[in-house]
Amino acid sequence: MSVTSSDSASHSGALEGSSAALEGSNAQRGLWSSRLAFILAATGSAVGLGNIWKFPYVTGENGGGAFVLVYLLCIAVVGIPIMMAEVMIGRRGGRSPVKSLSLIAERDRLNPAWKLVGAIGILAGFLILSFYSVIGGWAISYVGTTASGQLTGQTADAVGAIFSGLLSDPTTLLAWHTLFMALVMVVVVRGVRSGLERAVSILMPALFVLLLIVVGYAMTTGHFGQAVAFLFQPDFSKLTTSGILVALGHAFFTLSLGMAVMMAYGSYLPKNISIAKTSMTVSVIDTGVALLAGLAIFPIVFANGLEPGAGPGLIFQTLPLAFGQMPMGSLFGTLFFVLLIFAAWTSGISLLEPIVEWLEERKGMNRTVSTLGAGIVCWALGIASILSLNLWADFAPLGFVPMLEGKTIFDLLDFFTANIMLPLGGLLVALFAGWVMSREAMEKELALSPGMFNLWLITVRFITPVAVAIVFIYNLM
Ligand code: TRP
């Protein structure tokens, strides 16, 4: 049986057909070429809270420059090759991730246990979405905070108090978390893709422009140089082994790797499109947004004498200050948080979608039942993260493990998913591509020059697995 010519042709063939049709006139799928459609969907998944909320705060917590350098290295050496591998496996299998892996395994007479890679991913996505939605809720709450004008001319203390006020209020947090999860479920239940692509193509550039506006304001604070130095002058004395683990984990998190999302999207990618180029484009955009967010936030941190290592609240304690001081700040601030919600929304959808597809495929549930089921369980788990911010703030269930000391349920979910499960999923993907899949099939899928192909193969065979293993082992010791 040939996966390429029969199975996946019927699957991605539909997309190729429609993209050919749209070159003529007004086709039903919208205005995007297929390459653009994939880039939009993948960028929508990759660019999210990871770039704007998480990147600045983990950078601040881990001392800046040296951490950023390791993160950039992880993107280049581990992230991009693994994204290529995921997209390639997805396109070759032409099905949902679990199916793709078992189809390829079956075809090449491999151990069917490889489909476990897909299963780990689905569990990771489920756990991530539970706390992701809570942070998405913070963003929703800040639309009202900025729009009301109450930030205008506020001091750092007052802005900090508004944020602590939000965290200490479980009912409000629950309301916004519920709204965010409902937004994600509404899209997933309908299986809408094209509307999403259109939204991403307008909203992502808009978010980029707004970030540039904040960077422009940040340049006037007189602390821009200090922020640039903080972000780009590596001071290796500040780099810890756990910082390296966080940088590696974050590279997976921010590129949406390690849980087979890119595999799922790759199954829709037409055969004639370059996997390397598209993966590179998505990664560059994603990294660009994160660095811009850093350049927007750290000048404000230094100008106001705030603590770079303030933790998950960092953007909510700094950006509102900027919006309170700059001209038309309420307008820009409101727009900014609306766009942040959209970025988080498209990422949230990509976290729920694979779970729903899996339930449909494996358990034979229809889309409505599987979306409601998965969404509601995930929502309920999110309540544990909400309580970690207030009533359970001192509850560290695994505090007896030195490395996990003081970590709340929310911290633990973040730690285990981003720093353990995603790199592990990525490691398995690298091993699958590097050692298991047929070289011939991969050469055909990637269509690289022989030199580039070998470089990629060496990376997924040796460099990625060794890098992930070293980081894991060091952190266990
Ligand atoms: N990459 C997204 C962000 O940076 C989060 C995300 C969406 C994700 N889908 C994912 C992370 C899949 C890991 C795996 O906000």
Side-chain angles (χ1 to χ4, degrees):
M1 169 185 92
S2 157
V3 175
T4 338
S5 58
S6 60
D7 289 48
S8 75
S10 60
H11 188 54
S12 63
L15 253 126
E16 275 168 57
S18 72
S19 75
L22 35 103
E23 268 154 37
S25 58
N26 48 342
Q28 333 83 301
R29 277 199 105 248
L31 296 166
W32 328 118
S33 74
S34 302
R35 178 173 139 86
L36 193 55
F38 175 83
I39 290 181
L40 288 172
T43 311
S45 169
V47 176
L49 295 170
N51 306 64
I52 292 167
W53 160 70
K54 198 172 177 192
F55 172 74
Y57 100 73
V58 291
T59 297
E61 281 184 341
N62 288 285
F67 174 86
V68 173
L69 189 67
V70 176
Y71 154 78
L72 291 175
L73 263 177
C74 289
I75 295 280
V77 176
V78 181
I80 295 175
I82 293 208
M83 189 183 291
M84 289 169 62
E86 279 201 17
V87 176
M88 177 195 75
I89 294 169
R91 185 162 81 180
R92 173 124 181 101
R95 284 288 189 274
S96 78
V98 179
K99 257 272 163 53
S100 289
L101 284 160
S102 48
L103 270 178
I104 296 175
E106 212 175 278
R107 195 191 92 86
D108 299 346
R109 296 218 188 79
L110 309 165
N111 189 334
W114 278 107
K115 61 181 180 222
L116 271 177
V117 180
I120 294 184
I122 283 164
L123 179 63
F126 181 77
L127 298 176
I128 292 174
L129 183 57
S130 76
F131 69 83
Y132 203 84
S133 168
V134 174
I135 314 294
W138 295 2
I140 298 179
S141 150
Y142 268 77
V143 173
T145 311
T146 36
S148 70
Q150 59 177 298
L151 295 168
T152 312
Q154 286 296 3
T155 60
D157 284 344
V159 166
I162 291 174
F163 182 66
S164 334
L166 173 66
L167 292 200
S168 65
D169 179 358
T171 350
T172 307
L173 290 171
L174 182 64
W176 298 132
H177 161 57
T178 308
L179 178 58
F180 186 87
M181 197 62 105
L183 286 172
V184 169
M185 287 163 66
V186 162
V187 177
V188 172
V189 98
R190 293 202 193 156
V192 185
R193 275 245 165 79
S194 48
L196 212 74
E197 281 157 16
R198 193 184 297 266
V200 171
S201 70
I202 299 164
L203 298 168
M204 286 295 154
L207 180 65
F208 207 79
V209 170
L210 266 172
L211 270 175
L212 281 177
I213 292 175
V214 185
V215 172
Y217 164 82
M219 283 177 171
T220 68
T221 60
H223 289 73
F224 194 70
Q226 192 184 349
V228 171
F230 179 76
L231 286 170
F232 299 112
Q233 269 177 19
D235 172 357
F236 289 99
S237 68
K238 289 191 182 146
L239 192 62
T240 59
T241 44
S242 84
I244 297 175
L245 179 65
V246 175
L248 178 74
H250 186 63
F252 283 95
F253 187 89
T254 191
L255 294 178
S256 299
L257 297 177
M259 64 154 283
V261 167
M262 294 299 165
M263 241 181 250
Y265 285 7
S267 70
Y268 293 100
L269 190 67
K271 291 282 176 196
N272 58 341
I273 304 255
S274 160
I275 290 179
K277 258 196 246 162
T278 34
S279 303
M280 197 78 91
T281 310
V282 174
S283 306
V284 167
I285 296 174
D286 186 78
T287 310
V289 172
L291 294 177
L292 264 189
L295 287 174
I297 285 157
F298 284 105
I300 304 167
V301 170
F302 296 126
N304 292 280
L306 297 169
E307 185 48 57
L314 190 65
I315 70 159
F316 297 94
Q317 288 157 325
T318 49
L319 291 177
L321 263 175
F323 293 129
Q325 284 160 19
M326 64 204 253
M328 299 205 291
S330 291
L331 176 68
F332 287 141
T334 310
L335 261 177
F336 177 86
F337 284 109
V338 168
L339 292 169
L340 182 59
I341 294 167
F342 274 102
W345 191 8
T346 53
S347 302
I349 291 162
S350 82
L351 285 161
L352 185 57
E353 176 73 27
I355 308 169
V356 168
E357 269 176 34
W358 180 77
L359 287 174
E360 282 180 317
E361 208 174 77
R362 285 294 292 273
K363 309 283 174 208
M365 295 180 189
N366 70 34
R367 188 158 265 267
T368 313
V369 174
S370 50
T371 307
L372 278 175
I376 290 173
V377 178
C378 201
W379 170 84
L381 184 61
I383 295 174
S385 288
I386 289 181
L387 294 174
S388 303
L389 302 167
N390 35 68
L391 300 176
W392 296 352
D394 298 320
F395 176 45
L398 301 177
F400 53 89
V401 182
M403 206 178 165
L404 304 175
E405 218 181 291
K407 286 200 189 308
T408 62
I409 295 180
F410 169 76
D411 300 331
L412 289 173
L413 282 169
D414 177 33
F415 181 86
F416 278 112
T417 52
N419 300 350
I420 310 285
M421 295 176 82
L422 299 181
L424 206 61
L427 175 72
L428 293 173
V429 166
L431 293 176
F432 186 81
W435 296 94
V436 176
M437 260 180 94
S438 94
R439 182 184 174 118
E440 198 196 338
M442 296 193 297
E443 274 173 345
K444 210 168 112 207
E445 285 295 339
L446 292 178
L448 293 168
S449 68
M452 286 307 280
F453 180 80
N454 280 325
L455 186 65
W456 172 81
L457 193 59
I458 289 172
T459 312
V460 292
R461 265 204 182 162
F462 303 106
I463 301 182
T464 306
V466 170
V468 173
I470 290 180
V471 175
F472 271 3
I473 292 167
Y474 257 92
N475 273 279
L476 285 177
M477 289 186 334

